[in-house]
């Protein structure tokens, strides 16, 4: 059975976007406390914002083009599906032998 992308309600998307922004803004408040709570809040907020905001995805793509190593690392840590697909494509391209003169 083919997968069907469910269209989420605009209210739900907006609520998740606001929650993501709140998580990102609250992460520095928890940073001085012992433990990694601020990192997890920031990562969760980033995931919610990137899933629900086209503007944020465009900005994120520009940042990744400017600093590709850091962008790749962050995408892998957030387990973003697009990063996983790119990684699999790159791995498949490396393993495919190139035969000279084959057109």
């Amino acid at each position: 059975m083919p997968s069907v992308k469910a269209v989420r309600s605009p209210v739900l998307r907006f609520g998740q976007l606001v929650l993501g922004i709140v998580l990102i803004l609250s992460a520095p408040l928890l940073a001085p406390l012992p433990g990694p709570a601020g990192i997890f809040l920031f990562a969760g907020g980033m995931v919610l914002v990137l899933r629900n905001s086209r503007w944020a995805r465009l900005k994120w793509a520009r940042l990744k083009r400017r600093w590709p190593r850091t962008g790749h690392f962050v995408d892998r840590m957030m387990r973003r599906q697009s990063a996983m697909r790119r990684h699999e494509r790159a791995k498949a391209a490396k393993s495919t032998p190139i035969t000279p003169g084959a057109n």
Side-chain angles (χ1 to χ4, degrees):
M1 180 181 241
S3 65
V4 177
K5 278 202 155 190
V7 177
R8 292 182 298 175
S9 160
V11 174
L12 180 64
R13 287 178 59 110
F14 182 74
Q16 288 181 345
L17 180 64
V18 169
L19 178 62
I21 291 170
V22 167
L23 289 175
I24 289 172
L25 294 176
S26 65
L29 299 174
L30 290 177
L33 297 176
I39 294 170
F40 292 119
L41 278 180
F42 185 80
M46 282 289 291
V47 168
L48 287 173
V49 169
L50 289 174
R51 282 186 180 175
N52 295 296
S53 171
R54 181 176 294 148
W55 176 83
R57 281 192 300 266
L58 289 172
K59 290 292 185 184
W60 182 246
R62 287 184 190 140
L63 283 170
K64 285 193 320 186
R65 261 183 267 143
R66 183 162 172 96
W67 294 290
R69 294 176 99 190
T70 304
H72 174 72
F73 175 74
V74 172
D75 274 348
R76 296 281 297 186
M77 292 300 111
M78 289 193 321
R79 300 182 152 276
R80 296 195 65 222
Q81 292 299 319
S82 59
M84 299 297 175
R85 284 192 303 267
R86 275 193 306 277
H87 180 69
E88 290 300 321
R89 266 190 257 132
K91 197 181 337 180
K94 278 186 180 178
S95 66
T96 305
I98 299 172
T99 55
N103 282 334

